[in-house]
Amino acid sequence: MIDFRSDTVTKPTAEMRKAAFEATVGDDVYNEDPTVLELEQVAAKMLGKEAALFVTSGTQGNQIAVLTHCVAGNEVLLEAESHIFYYEGGAISAFAGVQPRTIIGQKGVMDPGEVEAAIRGEDIHVPETGLICIENTHNRAGGAIVPLENMKQIFEVANNHQVPVHLDGARLFNAGVALNRPLQEFSQYTTTVQVCLSKGLGAPVGSIIAGDKEFIKKARKWRKRLGGGLRQVGMIAAPGLIALTSMVERLADDHENAKRLASGLQSIKGLEVVNSVDTNIVLVDVTKKGVTASQFIQKLSEFGILAVPFGPTLVRFTTHYDVSTLQIDEALKAIKSL
Ligand code: TLP
């Protein structure tokens, strides 16, 4: 199988498995797991924030952030195709009792003027704007990088109106590597940030949320309320530490491979690459092949190639370290013969 469904499908490296086996552990609900504490410290430093919290998943991290920043009845501003709005099962409404207000972006990038116009004023009739969410890189925009300048402008707008900004940085490492910038350069324009250790970096599980100490204290309580208080989880934090310390730079290979895949797919009659392939995601429109995305994916699977639908006619391919350049060339050959 050549598995392009997601960069979440990678298997932990031998080094990660060894680290998990040998990890020093303690009860994390008592704040006594040394490996978790180390992971949180390393992550906070990388993200330029005072503190960090290890959580089970990107979705849990985003939900804890919304729960911690907002109260029920608040309105959250977010991009119309963002993961928090599109792919988290309506969780912000179900759990935090907030209402989402979407802003249609260009390649996932919201216009700061539109964000400002959407922030509510003082009026007994209207909800209060509790949070603005940004996603970088933007998944449904095909791993598109939200420019630093745009993040800065939105953060300035948010500060002027005393509204916090949360960054869904599930793939922030990809943006950092692609632009050759440290993560703090992005997170400086956010109040809080969530990053995934299990997307492209190879950890079997886990995300980090980071912010100031007060935020993390409250977030820890929300994590516990949600049943996310964990015990001897140094065993799963240890691979996370390796993800942060030795798997980030190699994302550049995934970006190279995505470009190779995109140019190969583009040269196949009937296929059209519709994103700019900033990082590790390629979006392909299959309309001119005369098939739907699901029919195309079904055909691919018969050749041992896996991808996911991203709409009726769009297919998403994601590159990661368990797909080699050689396998990409093999896949292209097979797709050409379809
Ligand atoms: N995205 C998954 C699917 O849910 C679509 C994927 O395969 O890409 N934020 C962003 C931007 C994400 O892409 C994802 C996962 C998450 C949050 C949620 O992370 P997890 O899966 O750890 O809850």
Side-chain angles (χ1 to χ4, degrees), residues 1-2 16-17 58 69 82 99 106 143 157 211 328:
M1 285 291 177
I2 306 177
M16 287 178 177
R17 290 166 193 264
H69 284 299
S82 62
Q99 79 179 16
Q106 295 288 329
V157 163
I328 285 175

Side-chain angles (χ1 to χ4, degrees), residues 97-211:
V98 298
Q99 79 179 16
R101 179 157 177 202
T102 55
I103 292 172
I104 297 174
Q106 295 288 329
K107 287 176 62 182
V109 178
M110 295 184 289
D111 177 84
E114 284 183 41
V115 173
E116 180 149 40
I119 296 175
R120 304 286 195 158
E122 277 291 316
D123 183 327
I124 195 169
H125 301 91
V126 302
E128 276 169 38
T129 306
L131 183 65
I132 298 166
C133 298
I134 301 177
E135 183 174 315
N136 202 1
T137 63
H138 193 291
N139 184 352
R140 286 194 57 83
I145 298 173
V146 175
L148 278 163
E149 186 53 31
N150 175 265
M151 290 187 65
K152 182 170 181 238
Q153 287 170 358
I154 291 179
F155 195 50
E156 277 166 9
V157 163
N159 285 340
N160 291 340
H161 294 269
Q162 280 110 45
V163 179
V165 173
H166 174 68
L167 171 63
D168 176 355
R171 296 188 179 82
L172 189 62
F173 298 98
N174 295 83
V177 166
L179 298 181
N180 196 19
R181 296 283 176 84
L183 293 197
Q184 300 102 293
E185 285 203 29
F186 299 87
S187 41
Q188 67 177 321
Y189 302 127
T190 71
T191 318
T192 58
V193 54
Q194 180 275 122
V195 292
C196 287
L197 305 170
S198 60
K199 286 178 190 65
L201 302 184
V205 62
S207 278
I208 291 287
I209 49 177

